[in-house]
Amino acid sequence: GLATNVRVQDRRLRRIVKQCQDLPGQFLLEYLDEDGAAVPLTSTDVNSYLRDAAEMDVTAKDFRTWTGTLLATTALAALSSPESERACRHATTEVVREVAAQLGNTPAVARGSYVHPAVIEWFADGSLPERWARASARGSRFLRPEERKLVRVLRAGNRRRRAVPKAA
């Protein structure tokens, strides 16, 4: 698996993580069953929990995709529209590199799996800053303002794509 280093400020959480690391085996996330045996917490366990909690078919990858798309959108929307194809490639590469670092992936994996392609298209055609500025940050208290804006940007883009008639 991919090793990730994270600085934890909270003393209580550090103590809990240390106790987890002291369990036998190589998994950070393990628990002791009723017999005292260490049992690793798998991605299947996590995804099953997420499906139950959300009451819908959702996985950890969906959360990573949401985060990757949010990070890329906010970074690209803050930039001025690219003056050339080369400038667009450079800016996109830099932003995707930052997103990949945040997610603990390679840039290729981040761009291919965790950043919605429409966001990069809208940056390339120069429409992303305006789309972002027009999107309202009002809405659910369960989402941060940037997340509310992203929902609106993606929904509006999806409606426009469906409204365009296909060529015969």
Side-chain angles (χ1 to χ4, degrees):
L2 177 65
T4 303
N5 292 316
V6 178
R7 176 165 294 216
V8 177
Q9 300 294 332
D10 185 274
R11 286 183 184 173
R12 182 170 175 245
L13 183 55
R14 280 198 310 255
R15 189 178 71 251
I16 292 167
V17 169
K18 175 76 170 99
Q19 288 170 346
C20 289
Q21 288 174 324
D22 289 342
L23 291 171
Q26 60 184 4
F27 297 96
L28 171 59
L29 299 177
E30 294 180 317
Y31 62 93
L32 298 177
D33 67 12
E34 54 277 347
D35 297 325
V39 180
L41 188 63
T42 66
S43 60
T44 301
D45 298 326
V46 171
N47 288 333
S48 178
Y49 168 80
L50 290 173
R51 283 186 191 99
D52 289 346
E55 297 180 353
M56 61 189 303
D57 190 22
V58 66
T59 66
K61 184 179 188 295
D62 295 313
F63 286 92
R64 290 175 65 75
T65 301
W66 178 252
T67 300
T69 298
L70 181 63
L71 291 168
T73 304
T74 56
L76 289 170
L79 301 175
S80 54
S81 295
E83 299 290 325
S84 66
E85 193 174 313
R86 183 173 183 251
C88 179
R89 277 194 315 270
H90 177 72
T92 303
T93 298
E94 288 303 309
V95 166
V96 168
R97 187 176 291 137
E98 291 173 24
V99 169
Q102 289 280 333
L103 297 178
N105 286 107
T106 65
V109 169
R111 183 170 182 158
S113 297
Y114 297 118
V115 176
H116 195 294
V119 170
I120 294 173
E121 290 172 25
W122 296 330
F123 177 71
D125 72 18
S127 68
L128 183 61
E130 182 186 339
R131 289 171 188 266
W132 189 251
R134 273 197 329 248
S136 170
R138 296 181 61 189
S140 171
R141 64 184 174 86
F142 297 108
L143 297 176
R144 295 188 335 244
E146 297 83 9
E147 291 176 304
R148 292 181 223 137
K149 287 175 73 81
L150 181 57
V151 167
R152 288 187 173 85
V153 166
L154 292 174
R155 281 186 180 155
N158 200 21
R159 281 194 301 273
R160 283 191 200 117
R161 284 181 177 191
R162 277 189 255 141
V164 175
K166 295 194 178 203

